[in-house]
Amino acid sequence: MSRLGYFAFAFAYACVHAEQRPPVILISVDTLRADHLSCYQTSRTATPHIDSLAKGGTLFSQVNTLVPLTLPSHVALLTSMYPFANGVEDNGVPFGPGETLATVLKNAGYRTAAFVGGFVLDRRFGLSRGFDTYDSPFDLHRQAVRDTGDLKRPGAQVAAAAMRWLDQNGNSPFFLFLHLYDLHTPYDLPPNPRLRRGETGYSAELAYVDRVVGDFLAYLERRGLLNRSLIVFTSDHGEGLGDHGETTHGYFVYQSTLHVPLIIHWPKGWKHAEDRVDEPASLLDVAPTILDSVGLPRISKMQGRSLIAGTATGIYSESVYARDHFGCATLRAVRAGRYKYIDAPTPELYDLSSDPRELRNLYTADQPRAMAVRQRLMALLASAPAVKPATPPPDAVSALQSLGYLSGSTAERGLASHIDPKDRISDFETYGQALALASAGRLSESNTLLLKLA
């Protein structure tokens, strides 16, 4: 029996014999690179609390996001629909009518709640549908006079709100979505020795998030929820951190921003075939897997497959950020097995098995393989009609602009461009630096940089 076949058999058995559907907890740590967790790369600084979820669970080592941006990635995660099919391809574009994992679980009798750490997932962007409680306490009238960092709240506060909700609802079947935003810039963790252990920047925020997750897991254990819940841990996207010249995320579709962790901690007593699965998968597959695990049918519009049963035919990712903000071509990528093709004015093909950092473009040397993988991309795009995006809520526009998400386009959206985003990465980086200076109150320096882009 194949690995996935046995995996399917084992969990089908567990679900059929479950007396009651388990609680479901979905934890998304925003902007978390999989290769910065010690359970993914042992040379990294230890992240013991996150790593603990893999004990009695399954670590999926080759999972990609669909979009390296917070809102479209989470919409794809919760709907299991491609971004071009659900209409949300950029931050600030609200999710229109449609079912989500939350609506399905709510209709099945689950109490549902979401606790979000960043304004970009505020309820006005449509993901509150299906949640009895959607905790996103962002007051734009107050935020307008504050640093852009105020558009997120510390993970400990988010987790505390979730624990208060569980105090009241933890004895009933529930679905809880916990979103931690600390790893997203700006890195504003207070210089408190109780919060830092010598780390700085991204590393300090990750160490802090690991401790927040640890405190939350300890709470679940005290409540008797840890071992009877289905816990899914993941991220919406990674962070460039200088790879390919990209400091943050959203611009390129390289693995530095696409490769995300996925760990499923199964309820105690459930059989599982593998501690680790190395076959490629997508965040598109998370919602079908959760529904399959708790014995509920998937929505007909879901385009992912359950990781309990099924084999991926191609892992799709995209970014329209460079198109909509810098007048470049759209970037689309598909992974087929070990190979990944990036459709761009200068196409790219990588063997992720031997070149995980995507440093050697094989397109010229192996065009037949590149064209074969590209055919999968074209077939996928033709399989679902594109949906026209909705208009961002007016009162959200200024706040999103301050985060760098709605800067305005240098080209009309939808018009094809033949400019490769690789040729304008310096503009993207300059723009990001200008935003950081502006948020720090250094407006003159920020304006000087912005004038270079005029």
Side-chain angles (χ1 to χ4, degrees):
M1 184 179 293
S2 70
R3 175 166 56 188
L4 283 176
Y6 178 69
F7 201 48
F9 172 81
F11 277 100
Y13 176 89
C15 292
V16 167
H17 289 76
E19 295 181 0
Q20 178 181 331
R21 291 190 177 108
V24 176
I25 300 172
L26 174 60
I27 303 173
S28 174
V29 175
D30 210 289
T31 324
L32 174 57
R33 282 179 63 146
D35 63 4
H36 276 55
L37 296 176
S38 52
C39 55
Y40 278 81
Q41 189 164 312
T42 55
S43 61
R44 292 293 182 184
T45 301
T47 48
H49 304 297
I50 294 172
D51 293 359
S52 71
L53 287 168
K55 298 175 183 177
T58 302
L59 182 150
F60 296 85
S61 68
Q62 298 295 320
V63 176
N64 273 14
T65 185
L66 289 95
V67 185
L69 289 169
T70 299
L71 180 61
S73 179
H74 281 97
V75 173
L77 172 72
L78 292 173
T79 63
S80 186
M81 294 177 66
Y82 293 110
F84 56 82
N86 65 42
V88 182
E89 296 182 282
D90 201 351
N91 284 321
V93 178
F95 172 53
E99 292 185 277
T100 68
L101 176 63
T103 63
V104 176
L105 292 174
K106 178 178 173 62
N107 291 337
Y110 279 77
R111 297 186 181 183
T112 56
F115 300 86
V116 303
F119 170 74
V120 71
L121 289 189
D122 190 76
R123 63 171 43 253
R124 71 198 69 206
F125 300 116
L127 275 183
S128 62
R129 191 176 307 116
F131 286 104
D132 301 317
T133 297
Y134 196 88
D135 189 63
S136 59
F138 300 101
D139 185 342
L140 292 186
H141 295 292
R142 296 179 61 194
Q143 299 290 354
V145 296
R146 295 186 177 186
D147 188 275
T148 54
D150 289 335
L151 292 176
K152 62 179 178 177
R153 53 178 175 156
Q157 292 183 16
V158 183
M163 289 185 278
R164 288 193 294 270
W165 184 87
L166 285 172
D167 285 338
Q168 303 298 318
N169 298 277
N171 294 327
S172 302
F174 66 83
F175 168 48
L176 186 144
F177 170 50
L178 182 68
H179 170 248
L180 304 178
Y181 199 66
D182 306 86
L183 279 171
H184 195 287
T185 54
Y187 304 136
D188 53 3
L189 189 68
N192 187 320
R194 292 183 301 172
L195 301 178
R196 296 177 183 264
R197 296 173 183 174
E199 313 96 343
T200 59
Y202 189 87
S203 296
E205 300 287 353
L206 178 54
Y208 168 74
V209 166
D210 186 65
R211 292 194 289 274
V212 170
V213 170
D215 290 343
F216 182 67
L217 296 179
Y219 167 85
L220 294 178
E221 187 168 27
R222 291 194 301 272
R223 285 293 313 271
L225 293 171
L226 181 64
N227 290 324
R228 68 183 183 90
S229 298
L230 177 68
I231 304 175
V232 179
F233 177 92
T234 190
S235 177
D236 56 343
H237 55 75
E239 188 77 318
L241 299 178
D243 289 358
H244 299 277
E246 183 178 23
T247 303
T248 54
H249 59 270
Y251 191 85
F252 284 143
V253 287
Y254 294 114
Q255 292 301 99
S256 50
T257 61
L258 295 186
H259 183 205
V260 295
L262 177 62
I263 303 170
I264 300 182
H265 182 86
W266 309 100
K268 187 176 182 179
W270 282 30
K271 298 180 180 180
H272 64 282
E274 296 286 339
D275 296 330
R276 180 185 179 102
V277 173
D278 294 322
E279 296 180 28
S282 167
L283 287 187
L284 205 69
D285 305 326
V286 170
T289 301
I290 290 174
L291 295 177
D292 202 0
S293 298
V294 301
L296 289 172
R298 56 185 286 170
I299 306 168
S300 61
K301 289 187 177 182
M302 283 186 170
Q303 295 167 310
R305 46 103 191 198
S306 170
L307 295 172
I308 293 175
T311 302
T313 58
I315 308 301
Y316 173 81
S317 301
E318 68 168 48
S319 174
V320 301
Y321 190 93
R323 180 197 75 187
D324 290 350
H325 302 272
F326 294 91
C328 298
T330 296
L331 291 176
R332 303 189 192 279
V334 66
R335 177 175 181 177
R338 62 193 289 179
Y339 292 97
K340 175 182 168 186
Y341 171 79
I342 299 177
D343 196 46
T346 301
E348 300 167 69
L349 178 71
Y350 298 100
D351 181 347
L352 297 181
S353 178
S354 63
D355 181 25
R357 295 187 63 190
E358 299 163 290
L359 299 178
R360 297 185 297 276
N361 183 2
L362 303 176
Y363 178 80
T364 300
D366 198 354
Q367 283 196 30
R369 189 186 303 276
M371 290 300 97
V373 181
R374 185 179 186 276
Q375 284 301 317
R376 295 193 182 194
L377 173 62
M378 295 301 105
L380 187 151
L381 292 172
S383 68
V387 174
K388 183 178 180 181
T391 303
D395 61 345
V397 171
S398 60
L400 286 164
Q401 285 175 331
S402 72
L403 285 171
Y405 290 137
L406 292 178
S407 59
S409 173
T410 57
E412 290 296 325
R413 296 191 179 201
L415 294 180
S417 171
H418 300 290
I419 299 172
D420 197 305
K422 293 186 287 291
D423 296 331
R424 288 190 174 172
I425 181 60
S426 62
D427 290 348
F428 171 72
E429 289 296 307
T430 298
Y431 179 68
Q433 294 168 17
L435 285 178
L437 289 169
S439 67
R442 297 162 64 180
L443 298 181
S444 178
E445 294 171 77
S446 175
N447 288 335
T448 298
L449 286 181
L450 289 173
L451 285 173
K452 294 180 180 180
L453 300 178

